[in-house]
Amino acid sequence: IKGRQTRPRSSMRGEEEREAFLMGMFNIAMGQAPVAVKEIDLSGRKHLLDLGGGPGTWAIHFCLENPGLRAAVFDLSSTRPFAEKTIAEFGLTDRIEFKEGDYLKDEIKGRYDVAWLSQILHGEGPESCRSMIRKAVSVLEPGGLIFVHEFILNNDMAGPLHSALFSLNMLTGTRSGRSYSEEQIMDMLRDAGATNLRRLPFLSPNDSGIVAGTMP
């Protein structure tokens, strides 16, 4: 039986809980981003959208790795103070901006040549995920790249263990969240118009992986 809680997003929490949640996001990403960004070629790319980027950890490390890159973190207004403080601590205020919005309800403004969606699909059901991906690709330039970083299930949906247990946790603790398989994520990207779909070799200790696509 699915749980009845709302989606576990930072706007649903008190100030102390919200900051603890964002700090948890920051710490987890800090253990992955410095390694992952070195395996993702963004040569020549100029503007990255970090959709639902929370504290901005991934945007920060993409910009540190790619000196010519600017980024926008798109997330709820309640996330702004923590994100801007974190971005400032890395000396990137002039290259990373925060844009307020709800990726389930609001349109995304601007044009980008990279879209990064990290650990946001698992909080939603399939149709909401498709909507988020469509919104992301709608602001990508031709030839733009889209990356989905998630706890990815095998196509038989039986493992790996961490992704399967995480999916069970989301199914019981949220209205419609779950983990998705590589095939399911690729289908979502394909339906949004992405081509050259591929799984990157990156694999974290907690079984998260990255699926990439390119806009024609």
Side-chain angles (χ1 to χ4, degrees):
I1 301 174
K2 294 181 183 179
R4 297 184 178 181
Q5 298 176 24
T6 55
R7 46 200 164 99
R9 300 186 64 198
S10 58
S11 65
M12 307 300 178
R13 306 167 186 267
E15 186 174 347
E16 290 184 5
E17 287 183 280
R18 180 167 56 248
E19 184 154 342
F21 176 73
L22 291 169
M23 181 59 74
M25 289 178 62
F26 174 77
N27 289 336
I28 291 171
M30 281 295 291
Q32 300 174 349
V35 176
V37 299
K38 295 182 184 300
E39 300 184 20
I40 299 174
D41 184 7
L42 297 186
S43 301
R45 304 288 167 171
K46 299 298 184 184
H47 202 189
L48 177 141
L49 169 68
D50 187 356
L51 187 63
T57 321
W58 284 97
I60 287 166
H61 283 280
F62 276 117
C63 285
L64 290 175
E65 183 68 16
N66 299 274
L69 187 69
R70 295 182 299 112
V73 178
F74 185 95
D75 211 326
L76 300 168
S77 60
S78 55
T79 307
R80 178 189 283 272
F82 190 94
E84 291 187 338
K85 177 182 176 182
T86 305
I87 291 165
E89 287 176 351
F90 281 85
L92 291 169
T93 302
D94 60 334
R95 292 174 54 199
I96 302 176
E97 64 177 325
F98 188 93
K99 293 193 172 184
E100 295 183 4
D102 185 329
Y103 52 64
L104 292 180
K105 300 176 181 178
D106 300 327
E107 295 302 314
I108 305 166
K109 296 182 179 179
R111 299 297 296 174
Y112 307 87
D113 52 11
V114 184
W116 175 257
L117 286 66
S118 179
Q119 308 290 23
I120 60 174
L121 297 191
H122 65 238
E124 311 298 336
E127 290 309 309
S128 292
C129 291
R130 291 180 187 278
S131 175
M132 286 189 285
I133 290 174
R134 285 195 298 267
K135 286 183 180 183
V137 302
S138 73
V139 295
L140 284 177
E141 301 285 1
L145 302 175
I146 181 168
F147 299 94
V148 174
H149 173 230
E150 268 296 346
F151 299 116
I152 302 176
L153 288 166
N154 298 331
N155 289 335
D156 63 7
M157 310 294 284
L161 180 61
H162 187 281
S163 297
L165 291 175
F166 189 84
S167 187
L168 178 62
N169 177 65
M170 296 305 293
L171 284 166
T172 57
T174 69
R175 288 180 176 175
S176 53
R178 67 197 72 180
S179 298
Y180 294 94
S181 70
E182 177 180 324
E183 183 177 43
Q184 288 174 322
I185 293 171
M186 286 189 175
D187 282 345
M188 293 176 188
L189 290 167
R190 186 179 297 110
D191 287 349
T195 61
N196 189 26
L197 303 175
R198 58 224 183 257
R199 175 79 174 266
L200 301 189
F202 170 76
L203 182 65
S204 77
N206 62 10
D207 294 329
S208 69
I210 301 169
V211 175
T214 304
M215 295 310 297

